[in-house]
Amino acid sequence: MIGDLSDDGQQTAFSMSQPDDDEFNDPQRRREVRQKYRTIISNMGLPEVHQDLVRPESKGVRERLDMIDDLYQKVKHAREAVLDSEALKIASKCAAEQVQKLKTHVVTFDPHVFAQKLRTFMGDRMDEDEETAPKLDWSKLGGEVGGLFRRTPSVTFMYGSLAVDETTVRRERKARVRPQEPVPQVTPQQVGKEQDAPEEATTKEVKRLNEVLQKVLEENDGLVSYWDFVINPDSFTQTVENIFHLSFLIKDGKYKIIEDHDLPWIENATIRGDSQERITDRKQAVVQITLPLWQELKTVYKITEPLVPSRPTAGDGSQ
């Protein structure tokens, strides 16, 4: 803003003329900029041009970077900026490949070449096919390098022979042969009838219980007390097993449990009439027995001998 004094002494403000931005917004000029960017990008993408750019002595990458920088001065919109970044990306890749192909030509130390020159200096003229050790004049080497030391060098071991591949001797260790002790022969275990599968053992016990129950019912006019039949006064375990096995016979409909004066009784489930058999309706019930209840039932029913013969089992007892 620049001020100017009016006739009344007051300052009047006015705006300076700004440079026109129409040059950056001109569509024709923008098209020309984009066309130049596309020309640079397509040119660097040609195989023969790419090979020339990545040569270490080539200055093509530098020239194209200068061209990109000149064009960037005319870029103001995003459309041209995208082309500028694409061209710069391709030029950067070419520059990276060019750097990888550069060679510094720095002389590296080769210990084998140095050792061969030392042998030649000390008078080694031995042919490589000869097997005798070379005669080297170490005093000649000492006289040449003696002035480089302030004190006499001590004798030290070298790190190994020169130009000789190190060979390692592998010793195979023989395993000690120990006398084998006689192994006792194992006789295959004979599986007896008492070692049947659990399913087969249960089936046999249910069948045995059925035979016992049939005999007991015949001796008691077809009716027997439930607790008198299942309780084994000598074994709580076998009492539980009798209840379990009897449940299969009840489920199959061979027997039924009835109540008489609130006491459970067992009888045949089939009722014979008119020369036909019909099965009574089946109902399920849960029987619960504990060790104190088992002992109380033995006392109340005065059971001293089991109606179902005891089965010989290991460690049997009132458990």
Side-chain angles (χ1 to χ4, degrees):
M1 304 290 289
I2 296 178
D4 190 12
L5 292 176
S6 60
D7 295 339
D8 55 2
Q10 294 183 354
Q11 187 178 23
T12 303
F14 61 92
S15 299
M16 292 182 61
S17 60
Q18 298 293 335
D20 192 5
D21 291 341
D22 293 341
E23 182 181 357
F24 292 98
N25 297 325
D26 184 16
Q28 180 62 28
R29 184 180 174 282
R30 292 179 58 191
R31 280 194 295 268
E32 293 176 358
V33 173
R34 292 196 297 269
Q35 181 62 33
K36 291 180 181 179
Y37 271 121
R38 293 190 181 99
T39 302
I40 296 174
I41 293 173
S42 60
N43 179 263
M44 289 190 296
L46 296 175
E48 57 274 10
V49 177
H50 180 79
Q51 292 179 2
D52 181 70
L53 292 176
V54 298
R55 289 187 298 108
E57 64 275 8
S58 175
K59 297 182 180 180
V61 177
R62 179 70 240 182
E63 294 174 357
R64 282 159 178 79
L65 286 174
D66 292 339
M67 295 170 59
I68 295 172
D69 288 341
D70 293 340
L71 286 176
Y72 186 71
Q73 303 300 325
K74 305 175 184 180
V75 174
K76 187 175 182 181
H77 297 276
R79 191 173 179 182
E80 289 77 26
V82 172
L83 294 173
D84 179 80
S85 62
E86 181 66 21
L88 188 60
K89 178 181 178 182
I90 297 175
S92 300
K93 289 183 178 180
C94 294
E97 294 183 24
Q98 188 179 28
V99 170
Q100 292 178 356
K101 293 186 177 182
L102 288 175
K103 294 183 179 179
T104 58
H105 302 288
V106 176
V107 179
T108 58
F109 176 75
D110 189 346
H112 298 285
V113 175
F114 178 70
Q116 185 62 35
K117 291 181 178 181
L118 282 179
R119 292 176 59 177
T120 303
F121 177 78
M122 290 185 290
D124 180 19
R125 295 292 185 266
M126 184 192 70
D127 200 4
E128 294 183 358
D129 296 335
E130 296 182 8
E131 298 180 356
T132 58
K135 296 180 179 180
L136 303 178
D137 188 2
W138 291 96
S139 60
K140 182 179 180 180
L141 177 63
E144 186 69 20
V145 300
L148 303 177
F149 296 89
R150 294 183 179 180
R151 60 181 180 179
T152 304
S154 60
V155 178
T156 58
F157 292 100
M158 301 179 69
Y159 286 109
S161 59
L162 297 175
V164 177
D165 296 335
E166 183 180 358
T167 58
T168 57
V169 179
R170 298 182 59 184
R171 298 180 179 179
E172 297 182 357
R173 299 181 60 183
K174 296 183 179 180
R176 296 181 180 179
V177 180
R178 297 182 179 180
Q180 297 183 353
E181 299 180 356
V183 180
Q185 296 182 354
V186 179
T187 304
Q189 183 179 4
Q190 300 294 333
V191 180
K193 294 183 179 180
E194 67 278 1
Q195 296 178 346
D196 295 333
E199 295 81 1
E200 297 180 359
T202 301
T203 303
K204 290 182 179 181
E205 289 300 324
V206 171
K207 183 178 180 181
R208 186 178 76 92
L209 189 73
N210 182 36
E211 295 175 354
V212 174
L213 183 55
Q214 284 286 356
K215 184 177 180 181
V216 172
L217 290 176
E218 291 176 359
E219 295 175 354
N220 293 274
D221 297 331
L223 191 67
V224 64
S225 171
Y226 177 84
W227 295 117
D228 284 335
F229 180 75
V230 297
I231 288 179
N232 187 323
D234 301 324
S235 173
F236 173 72
T237 303
Q238 294 198 21
T239 300
V240 176
E241 292 177 355
N242 291 339
I243 296 174
F244 173 70
H245 296 148
L246 180 61
S247 65
F248 286 96
L249 299 176
I250 301 298
K251 183 189 70 172
D252 294 339
K254 295 182 178 181
Y255 304 95
K256 67 178 181 179
I257 298 177
I258 62 174
E259 289 188 14
D260 187 9
H261 298 87
D262 296 332
L263 297 177
W265 297 79
I266 305 174
E267 68 174 3
N268 288 314
T270 57
I271 301 177
R272 300 182 179 275
D274 299 332
S275 302
Q276 294 182 352
E277 295 182 354
R278 62 185 182 89
I279 307 299
T280 58
D281 295 336
R282 302 175 186 176
K283 296 180 181 180
Q284 296 182 351
V286 178
V287 178
Q288 182 179 4
I289 187 171
T290 60
L291 187 61
L293 179 59
W294 169 71
Q295 295 174 345
E296 183 180 355
L297 290 173
K298 288 194 303 181
T299 304
V300 172
Y301 283 86
K302 299 179 181 180
I303 301 174
T304 57
E305 293 293 335
L307 293 180
V308 181
S310 300
R311 296 176 298 278
T313 56
D316 190 19
S318 300
Q319 300 177 358

